[in-house]
Amino acid sequence: MMSLSQLALLFFVVTNPIGNAPAILALLKDFDVAKQQRILLRESLFSMILAVVFLFLGETFLSRLQVADYALTMSGGVLLFIVALRMIFVDRRPKQTKALSQIEPFIVPIATPLLSGAGLLTMIMLQSKREANDTKVFFAICMAWVGITAVLVLSPYLQVLFGKRGMAALEQLMGMLLAMVSMEMIVKGTALFIAVLSTTNGG
């Protein structure tokens, strides 16, 4: 079990608003700062709604699959580790993108998949099953989105303050923290699996 603050930090890091900020700002480059902030505030709200929907639907989905605790913990750890590797070793070469001049994004691609992507939604479902406490996970999502929204709204200034290298360093730091959490989950899942094997062999 994780504490409320640990869950909130986990969701914040998986969402990766710091790493996604440059891509998001590139989509909004044709708007002034005030307009960018209004769009980011709205998209952050939409992404949170999507996360909450998956919280309540995901628990039902996983309960029907009858996933064992060790499988849930190990798969969550592996998923987090993959996300962490992408954050640490991200390819920062310039990518060609289609021109989206003056087209205001709506839900796609900022709210999803850039914020509430497959990794976050899967993690919410896994933690919902693991914690068996939707209220706790819901408040963790709310806490995480306070930080996510703050980073998004301030991202035009943060990028100027820290620069591209500074933002990259922050993302890599978050990736390192996520890697440590993922390894802890994998170790716990392995221990649970060994305990199940010992009980089965003993029986």
PDB file of all heavy atoms in Angstrom, residues 84-124:
ATOM      1  N   ALA A  84       9.924   5.107 -17.184  1.00  0.00           N
ATOM      2  CA  ALA A  84      11.105   5.775 -16.631  1.00  0.00           C
ATOM      3  C   ALA A  84      12.257   5.795 -17.630  1.00  0.00           C
ATOM      4  O   ALA A  84      12.943   6.813 -17.783  1.00  0.00           O
ATOM      5  CB  ALA A  84      11.537   5.075 -15.340  1.00  0.00           C
ATOM      6  N   LEU A  85      12.474   4.674 -18.326  1.00  0.00           N
ATOM      7  CA  LEU A  85      13.552   4.614 -19.319  1.00  0.00           C
ATOM      8  C   LEU A  85      13.325   5.617 -20.440  1.00  0.00           C
ATOM      9  O   LEU A  85      14.259   6.261 -20.920  1.00  0.00           O
ATOM     10  CB  LEU A  85      13.654   3.199 -19.897  1.00  0.00           C
ATOM     11  CG  LEU A  85      14.226   2.123 -18.973  1.00  0.00           C
ATOM     12  CD1 LEU A  85      14.241   0.779 -19.677  1.00  0.00           C
ATOM     13  CD2 LEU A  85      15.633   2.489 -18.506  1.00  0.00           C
ATOM     14  N   ARG A  86      12.061   5.763 -20.849  1.00  0.00           N
ATOM     15  CA  ARG A  86      11.759   6.720 -21.913  1.00  0.00           C
ATOM     16  C   ARG A  86      12.015   8.156 -21.457  1.00  0.00           C
ATOM     17  O   ARG A  86      12.415   9.005 -22.256  1.00  0.00           O
ATOM     18  CB  ARG A  86      10.299   6.565 -22.353  1.00  0.00           C
ATOM     19  CG  ARG A  86      10.035   5.279 -23.129  1.00  0.00           C
ATOM     20  CD  ARG A  86       8.580   5.159 -23.516  1.00  0.00           C
ATOM     21  NE  ARG A  86       8.332   3.957 -24.307  1.00  0.00           N
ATOM     22  CZ  ARG A  86       7.135   3.555 -24.703  1.00  0.00           C
ATOM     23  NH1 ARG A  86       6.062   4.262 -24.362  1.00  0.00           N
ATOM     24  NH2 ARG A  86       6.994   2.468 -25.416  1.00  0.00           N
ATOM     25  N   MET A  87      11.773   8.411 -20.170  1.00  0.00           N
ATOM     26  CA  MET A  87      12.010   9.755 -19.640  1.00  0.00           C
ATOM     27  C   MET A  87      13.505  10.040 -19.525  1.00  0.00           C
ATOM     28  O   MET A  87      13.957  11.163 -19.762  1.00  0.00           O
ATOM     29  CB  MET A  87      11.332   9.905 -18.275  1.00  0.00           C
ATOM     30  CG  MET A  87       9.822   9.912 -18.338  1.00  0.00           C
ATOM     31  SD  MET A  87       9.057   9.863 -16.695  1.00  0.00           S
ATOM     32  CE  MET A  87       9.529  11.462 -16.061  1.00  0.00           C
ATOM     33  N   ILE A  88      14.277   9.021 -19.155  1.00  0.00           N
ATOM     34  CA  ILE A  88      15.713   9.216 -18.947  1.00  0.00           C
ATOM     35  C   ILE A  88      16.475   9.265 -20.268  1.00  0.00           C
ATOM     36  O   ILE A  88      17.367  10.089 -20.464  1.00  0.00           O
ATOM     37  CB  ILE A  88      16.281   8.098 -18.054  1.00  0.00           C
ATOM     38  CG1 ILE A  88      15.650   8.164 -16.654  1.00  0.00           C
ATOM     39  CG2 ILE A  88      17.806   8.210 -17.936  1.00  0.00           C
ATOM     40  CD1 ILE A  88      15.975   6.971 -15.775  1.00  0.00           C
ATOM     41  N   PHE A  89      16.108   8.381 -21.198  1.00  0.00           N
ATOM     42  CA  PHE A  89      16.835   8.272 -22.463  1.00  0.00           C
ATOM     43  C   PHE A  89      16.001   8.753 -23.644  1.00  0.00           C
ATOM     44  O   PHE A  89      16.072   8.191 -24.725  1.00  0.00           O
ATOM     45  CB  PHE A  89      17.253   6.816 -22.700  1.00  0.00           C
ATOM     46  CG  PHE A  89      18.127   6.262 -21.607  1.00  0.00           C
ATOM     47  CD1 PHE A  89      17.632   5.338 -20.702  1.00  0.00           C
ATOM     48  CD2 PHE A  89      19.438   6.686 -21.471  1.00  0.00           C
ATOM     49  CE1 PHE A  89      18.434   4.824 -19.689  1.00  0.00           C
ATOM     50  CE2 PHE A  89      20.247   6.183 -20.461  1.00  0.00           C
ATOM     51  CZ  PHE A  89      19.742   5.258 -19.567  1.00  0.00           C
ATOM     52  N   VAL A  90      15.215   9.801 -23.429  1.00  0.00           N
ATOM     53  CA  VAL A  90      14.337  10.310 -24.478  1.00  0.00           C
ATOM     54  C   VAL A  90      15.165  10.853 -25.644  1.00  0.00           C
ATOM     55  O   VAL A  90      16.241  11.432 -25.446  1.00  0.00           O
ATOM     56  CB  VAL A  90      13.412  11.408 -23.919  1.00  0.00           C
ATOM     57  CG1 VAL A  90      14.213  12.613 -23.458  1.00  0.00           C
ATOM     58  CG2 VAL A  90      12.381  11.841 -24.949  1.00  0.00           C
ATOM     59  N   ASP A  91      14.665  10.627 -26.862  1.00  0.00           N
ATOM     60  CA  ASP A  91      15.310  11.146 -28.074  1.00  0.00           C
ATOM     61  C   ASP A  91      14.911  12.610 -28.248  1.00  0.00           C
ATOM     62  O   ASP A  91      13.746  12.920 -28.494  1.00  0.00           O
ATOM     63  CB  ASP A  91      14.854  10.319 -29.287  1.00  0.00           C
ATOM     64  CG  ASP A  91      15.532  10.769 -30.580  1.00  0.00           C
ATOM     65  OD1 ASP A  91      16.404  11.659 -30.500  1.00  0.00           O
ATOM     66  OD2 ASP A  91      15.191  10.230 -31.640  1.00  0.00           O
ATOM     67  N   ARG A  92      15.882  13.511 -28.111  1.00  0.00           N
ATOM     68  CA  ARG A  92      15.587  14.937 -28.171  1.00  0.00           C
ATOM     69  C   ARG A  92      15.930  15.561 -29.524  1.00  0.00           C
ATOM     70  O   ARG A  92      16.009  16.775 -29.642  1.00  0.00           O
ATOM     71  CB  ARG A  92      16.318  15.680 -27.048  1.00  0.00           C
ATOM     72  CG  ARG A  92      15.934  15.139 -25.691  1.00  0.00           C
ATOM     73  CD  ARG A  92      16.437  15.991 -24.555  1.00  0.00           C
ATOM     74  NE  ARG A  92      16.114  15.351 -23.299  1.00  0.00           N
ATOM     75  CZ  ARG A  92      14.935  15.398 -22.696  1.00  0.00           C
ATOM     76  NH1 ARG A  92      13.953  16.060 -23.271  1.00  0.00           N
ATOM     77  NH2 ARG A  92      14.723  14.784 -21.552  1.00  0.00           N
ATOM     78  N   ARG A  93      16.108  14.718 -30.516  1.00  0.00           N
ATOM     79  CA  ARG A  93      16.333  15.278 -31.845  1.00  0.00           C
ATOM     80  C   ARG A  93      15.046  15.917 -32.361  1.00  0.00           C
ATOM     81  O   ARG A  93      13.960  15.436 -32.094  1.00  0.00           O
ATOM     82  CB  ARG A  93      16.778  14.172 -32.810  1.00  0.00           C
ATOM     83  CG  ARG A  93      18.185  13.652 -32.529  1.00  0.00           C
ATOM     84  CD  ARG A  93      18.529  12.497 -33.431  1.00  0.00           C
ATOM     85  NE  ARG A  93      17.625  11.371 -33.208  1.00  0.00           N
ATOM     86  CZ  ARG A  93      17.694  10.232 -33.888  1.00  0.00           C
ATOM     87  NH1 ARG A  93      18.589  10.081 -34.841  1.00  0.00           N
ATOM     88  NH2 ARG A  93      16.852   9.246 -33.619  1.00  0.00           N
ATOM     89  N   PRO A  94      15.152  17.000 -33.113  1.00  0.00           N
ATOM     90  CA  PRO A  94      13.946  17.661 -33.617  1.00  0.00           C
ATOM     91  C   PRO A  94      13.125  16.719 -34.478  1.00  0.00           C
ATOM     92  O   PRO A  94      13.671  15.958 -35.282  1.00  0.00           O
ATOM     93  CB  PRO A  94      14.489  18.834 -34.453  1.00  0.00           C
ATOM     94  CG  PRO A  94      15.938  18.929 -34.155  1.00  0.00           C
ATOM     95  CD  PRO A  94      16.389  17.641 -33.553  1.00  0.00           C
ATOM     96  N   LYS A  95      11.824  16.751 -34.288  1.00  0.00           N
ATOM     97  CA  LYS A  95      10.916  15.897 -35.063  1.00  0.00           C
ATOM     98  C   LYS A  95      10.072  16.764 -35.974  1.00  0.00           C
ATOM     99  O   LYS A  95       9.677  17.863 -35.629  1.00  0.00           O
ATOM    100  CB  LYS A  95      10.015  15.084 -34.122  1.00  0.00           C
ATOM    101  CG  LYS A  95      10.789  14.139 -33.214  1.00  0.00           C
ATOM    102  CD  LYS A  95       9.839  13.402 -32.294  1.00  0.00           C
ATOM    103  CE  LYS A  95      10.582  12.404 -31.410  1.00  0.00           C
ATOM    104  NZ  LYS A  95      11.541  13.042 -30.514  1.00  0.00           N
ATOM    105  N   GLN A  96       9.783  16.223 -37.153  1.00  0.00           N
ATOM    106  CA  GLN A  96       8.935  16.944 -38.086  1.00  0.00           C
ATOM    107  C   GLN A  96       7.488  16.797 -37.647  1.00  0.00           C
ATOM    108  O   GLN A  96       7.011  15.698 -37.357  1.00  0.00           O
ATOM    109  CB  GLN A  96       9.087  16.382 -39.508  1.00  0.00           C
ATOM    110  CG  GLN A  96      10.453  16.640 -40.112  1.00  0.00           C
ATOM    111  CD  GLN A  96      10.532  16.142 -41.530  1.00  0.00           C
ATOM    112  OE1 GLN A  96       9.670  15.401 -41.983  1.00  0.00           O
ATOM    113  NE2 GLN A  96      11.571  16.555 -42.235  1.00  0.00           N
ATOM    114  N   THR A  97       6.790  17.890 -37.578  1.00  0.00           N
ATOM    115  CA  THR A  97       5.379  17.862 -37.182  1.00  0.00           C
ATOM    116  C   THR A  97       4.561  18.607 -38.223  1.00  0.00           C
ATOM    117  O   THR A  97       5.026  19.541 -38.884  1.00  0.00           O
ATOM    118  CB  THR A  97       5.180  18.531 -35.812  1.00  0.00           C
ATOM    119  OG1 THR A  97       5.702  19.864 -35.872  1.00  0.00           O
ATOM    120  CG2 THR A  97       5.904  17.776 -34.711  1.00  0.00           C
ATOM    121  N   LYS A  98       3.322  18.219 -38.351  1.00  0.00           N
ATOM    122  CA  LYS A  98       2.424  18.894 -39.274  1.00  0.00           C
ATOM    123  C   LYS A  98       2.086  20.284 -38.743  1.00  0.00           C
ATOM    124  O   LYS A  98       1.940  20.496 -37.545  1.00  0.00           O
ATOM    125  CB  LYS A  98       1.128  18.076 -39.443  1.00  0.00           C
ATOM    126  CG  LYS A  98       1.351  16.728 -40.113  1.00  0.00           C
ATOM    127  CD  LYS A  98       0.030  16.000 -40.268  1.00  0.00           C
ATOM    128  CE  LYS A  98       0.233  14.635 -40.947  1.00  0.00           C
ATOM    129  NZ  LYS A  98      -1.046  13.905 -41.087  1.00  0.00           N
ATOM    130  N   ALA A  99       1.929  21.205 -39.633  1.00  0.00           N
ATOM    131  CA  ALA A  99       1.596  22.564 -39.230  1.00  0.00           C
ATOM    132  C   ALA A  99       0.184  22.606 -38.666  1.00  0.00           C
ATOM    133  O   ALA A  99      -0.763  22.119 -39.280  1.00  0.00           O
ATOM    134  CB  ALA A  99       1.705  23.497 -40.443  1.00  0.00           C
ATOM    135  N   LEU A 100       0.051  23.179 -37.468  1.00  0.00           N
ATOM    136  CA  LEU A 100      -1.252  23.304 -36.837  1.00  0.00           C
ATOM    137  C   LEU A 100      -1.507  24.772 -36.500  1.00  0.00           C
ATOM    138  O   LEU A 100      -2.049  25.105 -35.456  1.00  0.00           O
ATOM    139  CB  LEU A 100      -1.294  22.458 -35.561  1.00  0.00           C
ATOM    140  CG  LEU A 100      -1.159  20.944 -35.758  1.00  0.00           C
ATOM    141  CD1 LEU A 100      -1.059  20.253 -34.400  1.00  0.00           C
ATOM    142  CD2 LEU A 100      -2.343  20.392 -36.529  1.00  0.00           C
ATOM    143  N   SER A 101      -1.081  25.659 -37.413  1.00  0.00           N
ATOM    144  CA  SER A 101      -1.147  27.089 -37.155  1.00  0.00           C
ATOM    145  C   SER A 101      -2.567  27.529 -36.811  1.00  0.00           C
ATOM    146  O   SER A 101      -3.509  27.282 -37.576  1.00  0.00           O
ATOM    147  CB  SER A 101      -0.631  27.849 -38.377  1.00  0.00           C
ATOM    148  OG  SER A 101      -0.732  29.232 -38.168  1.00  0.00           O
ATOM    149  N   GLN A 102      -2.677  28.191 -35.644  1.00  0.00           N
ATOM    150  CA  GLN A 102      -3.921  28.812 -35.189  1.00  0.00           C
ATOM    151  C   GLN A 102      -5.068  27.811 -35.007  1.00  0.00           C
ATOM    152  O   GLN A 102      -6.220  28.225 -34.893  1.00  0.00           O
ATOM    153  CB  GLN A 102      -4.361  29.919 -36.166  1.00  0.00           C
ATOM    154  CG  GLN A 102      -3.432  31.118 -36.185  1.00  0.00           C
ATOM    155  CD  GLN A 102      -3.378  31.840 -34.840  1.00  0.00           C
ATOM    156  OE1 GLN A 102      -4.341  31.851 -34.100  1.00  0.00           O
ATOM    157  NE2 GLN A 102      -2.231  32.402 -34.531  1.00  0.00           N
ATOM    158  N   ILE A 103      -4.793  26.517 -35.010  1.00  0.00           N
ATOM    159  CA  ILE A 103      -5.823  25.522 -34.726  1.00  0.00           C
ATOM    160  C   ILE A 103      -5.742  25.195 -33.240  1.00  0.00           C
ATOM    161  O   ILE A 103      -4.743  24.650 -32.765  1.00  0.00           O
ATOM    162  CB  ILE A 103      -5.630  24.246 -35.564  1.00  0.00           C
ATOM    163  CG1 ILE A 103      -5.750  24.579 -37.052  1.00  0.00           C
ATOM    164  CG2 ILE A 103      -6.661  23.188 -35.171  1.00  0.00           C
ATOM    165  CD1 ILE A 103      -5.507  23.400 -37.965  1.00  0.00           C
ATOM    166  N   GLU A 104      -6.790  25.522 -32.514  1.00  0.00           N
ATOM    167  CA  GLU A 104      -6.770  25.333 -31.067  1.00  0.00           C
ATOM    168  C   GLU A 104      -7.019  23.874 -30.713  1.00  0.00           C
ATOM    169  O   GLU A 104      -8.048  23.306 -31.081  1.00  0.00           O
ATOM    170  CB  GLU A 104      -7.836  26.210 -30.411  1.00  0.00           C
ATOM    171  CG  GLU A 104      -7.859  26.107 -28.898  1.00  0.00           C
ATOM    172  CD  GLU A 104      -8.859  27.061 -28.282  1.00  0.00           C
ATOM    173  OE1 GLU A 104      -9.095  28.139 -28.865  1.00  0.00           O
ATOM    174  OE2 GLU A 104      -9.414  26.727 -27.215  1.00  0.00           O
ATOM    175  N   PRO A 105      -6.083  23.225 -30.008  1.00  0.00           N
ATOM    176  CA  PRO A 105      -6.286  21.823 -29.608  1.00  0.00           C
ATOM    177  C   PRO A 105      -7.479  21.697 -28.663  1.00  0.00           C
ATOM    178  O   PRO A 105      -7.694  22.557 -27.805  1.00  0.00           O
ATOM    179  CB  PRO A 105      -4.975  21.470 -28.894  1.00  0.00           C
ATOM    180  CG  PRO A 105      -3.997  22.521 -29.316  1.00  0.00           C
ATOM    181  CD  PRO A 105      -4.790  23.751 -29.562  1.00  0.00           C
ATOM    182  N   PHE A 106      -8.232  20.623 -28.827  1.00  0.00           N
ATOM    183  CA  PHE A 106      -9.369  20.369 -27.946  1.00  0.00           C
ATOM    184  C   PHE A 106      -9.377  18.889 -27.580  1.00  0.00           C
ATOM    185  O   PHE A 106      -9.680  18.037 -28.413  1.00  0.00           O
ATOM    186  CB  PHE A 106     -10.682  20.762 -28.627  1.00  0.00           C
ATOM    187  CG  PHE A 106     -11.883  20.682 -27.717  1.00  0.00           C
ATOM    188  CD1 PHE A 106     -12.115  21.657 -26.758  1.00  0.00           C
ATOM    189  CD2 PHE A 106     -12.755  19.614 -27.809  1.00  0.00           C
ATOM    190  CE1 PHE A 106     -13.217  21.581 -25.916  1.00  0.00           C
ATOM    191  CE2 PHE A 106     -13.857  19.526 -26.968  1.00  0.00           C
ATOM    192  CZ  PHE A 106     -14.081  20.515 -26.016  1.00  0.00           C
ATOM    193  N   ILE A 107      -9.002  18.588 -26.354  1.00  0.00           N
ATOM    194  CA  ILE A 107      -8.894  17.237 -25.793  1.00  0.00           C
ATOM    195  C   ILE A 107      -7.720  16.480 -26.413  1.00  0.00           C
ATOM    196  O   ILE A 107      -6.813  16.028 -25.706  1.00  0.00           O
ATOM    197  CB  ILE A 107     -10.201  16.435 -25.913  1.00  0.00           C
ATOM    198  CG1 ILE A 107     -11.327  17.167 -25.170  1.00  0.00           C
ATOM    199  CG2 ILE A 107     -10.016  15.016 -25.359  1.00  0.00           C
ATOM    200  CD1 ILE A 107     -12.678  16.461 -25.215  1.00  0.00           C
ATOM    201  N   VAL A 108      -7.737  16.303 -27.732  1.00  0.00           N
ATOM    202  CA  VAL A 108      -6.633  15.649 -28.439  1.00  0.00           C
ATOM    203  C   VAL A 108      -5.786  16.734 -29.105  1.00  0.00           C
ATOM    204  O   VAL A 108      -6.337  17.644 -29.743  1.00  0.00           O
ATOM    205  CB  VAL A 108      -7.179  14.674 -29.501  1.00  0.00           C
ATOM    206  CG1 VAL A 108      -6.043  14.026 -30.281  1.00  0.00           C
ATOM    207  CG2 VAL A 108      -8.053  13.604 -28.855  1.00  0.00           C
ATOM    208  N   PRO A 109      -4.465  16.708 -28.984  1.00  0.00           N
ATOM    209  CA  PRO A 109      -3.626  15.676 -28.363  1.00  0.00           C
ATOM    210  C   PRO A 109      -3.124  16.019 -26.954  1.00  0.00           C
ATOM    211  O   PRO A 109      -2.342  15.269 -26.409  1.00  0.00           O
ATOM    212  CB  PRO A 109      -2.434  15.613 -29.322  1.00  0.00           C
ATOM    213  CG  PRO A 109      -2.252  17.049 -29.734  1.00  0.00           C
ATOM    214  CD  PRO A 109      -3.638  17.648 -29.787  1.00  0.00           C
ATOM    215  N   ILE A 110      -3.549  17.153 -26.366  1.00  0.00           N
ATOM    216  CA  ILE A 110      -2.962  17.550 -25.082  1.00  0.00           C
ATOM    217  C   ILE A 110      -3.556  16.761 -23.915  1.00  0.00           C
ATOM    218  O   ILE A 110      -2.831  16.096 -23.165  1.00  0.00           O
ATOM    219  CB  ILE A 110      -3.118  19.068 -24.858  1.00  0.00           C
ATOM    220  CG1 ILE A 110      -2.330  19.842 -25.924  1.00  0.00           C
ATOM    221  CG2 ILE A 110      -2.593  19.440 -23.465  1.00  0.00           C
ATOM    222  CD1 ILE A 110      -2.471  21.347 -25.830  1.00  0.00           C
ATOM    223  N   ALA A 111      -4.882  16.843 -23.740  1.00  0.00           N
ATOM    224  CA  ALA A 111      -5.514  16.118 -22.626  1.00  0.00           C
ATOM    225  C   ALA A 111      -5.225  14.633 -22.722  1.00  0.00           C
ATOM    226  O   ALA A 111      -4.920  13.966 -21.733  1.00  0.00           O
ATOM    227  CB  ALA A 111      -7.013  16.387 -22.611  1.00  0.00           C
ATOM    228  N   THR A 112      -5.330  14.111 -23.924  1.00  0.00           N
ATOM    229  CA  THR A 112      -4.955  12.734 -24.221  1.00  0.00           C
ATOM    230  C   THR A 112      -4.459  12.697 -25.664  1.00  0.00           C
ATOM    231  O   THR A 112      -5.072  13.346 -26.519  1.00  0.00           O
ATOM    232  CB  THR A 112      -6.134  11.768 -24.019  1.00  0.00           C
ATOM    233  OG1 THR A 112      -5.699  10.419 -24.236  1.00  0.00           O
ATOM    234  CG2 THR A 112      -7.300  12.046 -24.952  1.00  0.00           C
ATOM    235  N   PRO A 113      -3.352  12.078 -25.963  1.00  0.00           N
ATOM    236  CA  PRO A 113      -2.570  11.177 -25.109  1.00  0.00           C
ATOM    237  C   PRO A 113      -1.396  11.814 -24.362  1.00  0.00           C
ATOM    238  O   PRO A 113      -0.728  11.115 -23.621  1.00  0.00           O
ATOM    239  CB  PRO A 113      -2.040  10.161 -26.122  1.00  0.00           C
ATOM    240  CG  PRO A 113      -1.817  10.974 -27.358  1.00  0.00           C
ATOM    241  CD  PRO A 113      -2.903  12.011 -27.380  1.00  0.00           C
ATOM    242  N   LEU A 114      -1.130  13.129 -24.557  1.00  0.00           N
ATOM    243  CA  LEU A 114       0.070  13.696 -23.939  1.00  0.00           C
ATOM    244  C   LEU A 114       0.005  13.677 -22.411  1.00  0.00           C
ATOM    245  O   LEU A 114       1.005  13.399 -21.745  1.00  0.00           O
ATOM    246  CB  LEU A 114       0.287  15.125 -24.435  1.00  0.00           C
ATOM    247  CG  LEU A 114       0.798  15.256 -25.878  1.00  0.00           C
ATOM    248  CD1 LEU A 114       0.909  16.714 -26.280  1.00  0.00           C
ATOM    249  CD2 LEU A 114       2.138  14.547 -26.046  1.00  0.00           C
ATOM    250  N   LEU A 115      -1.155  13.968 -21.830  1.00  0.00           N
ATOM    251  CA  LEU A 115      -1.278  13.962 -20.368  1.00  0.00           C
ATOM    252  C   LEU A 115      -1.840  12.631 -19.877  1.00  0.00           C
ATOM    253  O   LEU A 115      -1.137  11.833 -19.270  1.00  0.00           O
ATOM    254  CB  LEU A 115      -2.137  15.143 -19.908  1.00  0.00           C
ATOM    255  CG  LEU A 115      -1.553  16.539 -20.206  1.00  0.00           C
ATOM    256  CD1 LEU A 115      -2.521  17.626 -19.776  1.00  0.00           C
ATOM    257  CD2 LEU A 115      -0.212  16.713 -19.517  1.00  0.00           C
ATOM    258  N   SER A 116      -3.116  12.409 -20.106  1.00  0.00           N
ATOM    259  CA  SER A 116      -3.721  11.141 -19.691  1.00  0.00           C
ATOM    260  C   SER A 116      -3.540  10.110 -20.790  1.00  0.00           C
ATOM    261  O   SER A 116      -4.469   9.797 -21.543  1.00  0.00           O
ATOM    262  CB  SER A 116      -5.215  11.336 -19.371  1.00  0.00           C
ATOM    263  OG  SER A 116      -5.370  12.088 -18.202  1.00  0.00           O
ATOM    264  N   GLY A 117      -2.329   9.589 -20.870  1.00  0.00           N
ATOM    265  CA  GLY A 117      -2.006   8.593 -21.879  1.00  0.00           C
ATOM    266  C   GLY A 117      -2.203   7.183 -21.373  1.00  0.00           C
ATOM    267  O   GLY A 117      -2.687   6.957 -20.254  1.00  0.00           O
ATOM    268  N   ALA A 118      -1.806   6.220 -22.185  1.00  0.00           N
ATOM    269  CA  ALA A 118      -2.011   4.815 -21.844  1.00  0.00           C
ATOM    270  C   ALA A 118      -1.290   4.429 -20.558  1.00  0.00           C
ATOM    271  O   ALA A 118      -1.815   3.681 -19.729  1.00  0.00           O
ATOM    272  CB  ALA A 118      -1.533   3.931 -22.997  1.00  0.00           C
ATOM    273  N   GLY A 119      -0.067   4.963 -20.367  1.00  0.00           N
ATOM    274  CA  GLY A 119       0.701   4.617 -19.168  1.00  0.00           C
ATOM    275  C   GLY A 119       0.005   5.057 -17.896  1.00  0.00           C
ATOM    276  O   GLY A 119      -0.116   4.290 -16.939  1.00  0.00           O
ATOM    277  N   LEU A 120      -0.481   6.302 -17.873  1.00  0.00           N
ATOM    278  CA  LEU A 120      -1.160   6.810 -16.678  1.00  0.00           C
ATOM    279  C   LEU A 120      -2.460   6.072 -16.427  1.00  0.00           C
ATOM    280  O   LEU A 120      -2.754   5.669 -15.295  1.00  0.00           O
ATOM    281  CB  LEU A 120      -1.440   8.304 -16.836  1.00  0.00           C
ATOM    282  CG  LEU A 120      -2.266   8.894 -15.699  1.00  0.00           C
ATOM    283  CD1 LEU A 120      -1.457   8.972 -14.419  1.00  0.00           C
ATOM    284  CD2 LEU A 120      -2.822  10.257 -16.073  1.00  0.00           C
ATOM    285  N   LEU A 121      -3.267   5.881 -17.469  1.00  0.00           N
ATOM    286  CA  LEU A 121      -4.569   5.238 -17.290  1.00  0.00           C
ATOM    287  C   LEU A 121      -4.411   3.800 -16.804  1.00  0.00           C
ATOM    288  O   LEU A 121      -5.167   3.337 -15.949  1.00  0.00           O
ATOM    289  CB  LEU A 121      -5.357   5.289 -18.603  1.00  0.00           C
ATOM    290  CG  LEU A 121      -5.665   6.703 -19.114  1.00  0.00           C
ATOM    291  CD1 LEU A 121      -6.441   6.649 -20.415  1.00  0.00           C
ATOM    292  CD2 LEU A 121      -6.429   7.511 -18.075  1.00  0.00           C
ATOM    293  N   THR A 122      -3.420   3.104 -17.335  1.00  0.00           N
ATOM    294  CA  THR A 122      -3.153   1.741 -16.870  1.00  0.00           C
ATOM    295  C   THR A 122      -2.718   1.749 -15.413  1.00  0.00           C
ATOM    296  O   THR A 122      -3.148   0.921 -14.611  1.00  0.00           O
ATOM    297  CB  THR A 122      -2.074   1.073 -17.735  1.00  0.00           C
ATOM    298  OG1 THR A 122      -2.495   1.064 -19.094  1.00  0.00           O
ATOM    299  CG2 THR A 122      -1.818  -0.363 -17.284  1.00  0.00           C
ATOM    300  N   MET A 123      -1.848   2.710 -15.052  1.00  0.00           N
ATOM    301  CA  MET A 123      -1.367   2.795 -13.677  1.00  0.00           C
ATOM    302  C   MET A 123      -2.506   3.105 -12.713  1.00  0.00           C
ATOM    303  O   MET A 123      -2.555   2.578 -11.594  1.00  0.00           O
ATOM    304  CB  MET A 123      -0.275   3.860 -13.585  1.00  0.00           C
ATOM    305  CG  MET A 123       0.421   3.914 -12.231  1.00  0.00           C
ATOM    306  SD  MET A 123       1.053   2.310 -11.667  1.00  0.00           S
ATOM    307  CE  MET A 123       1.961   1.755 -13.127  1.00  0.00           C
ATOM    308  N   ILE A 124      -3.437   3.958 -13.115  1.00  0.00           N
ATOM    309  CA  ILE A 124      -4.590   4.266 -12.261  1.00  0.00           C
ATOM    310  C   ILE A 124      -5.428   3.014 -12.031  1.00  0.00           C
ATOM    311  O   ILE A 124      -5.862   2.749 -10.902  1.00  0.00           O
ATOM    312  CB  ILE A 124      -5.435   5.384 -12.895  1.00  0.00           C
ATOM    313  CG1 ILE A 124      -4.699   6.722 -12.776  1.00  0.00           C
ATOM    314  CG2 ILE A 124      -6.808   5.484 -12.221  1.00  0.00           C
ATOM    315  CD1 ILE A 124      -5.382   7.868 -13.491  1.00  0.00           C
TER     316      ILE A 124
END
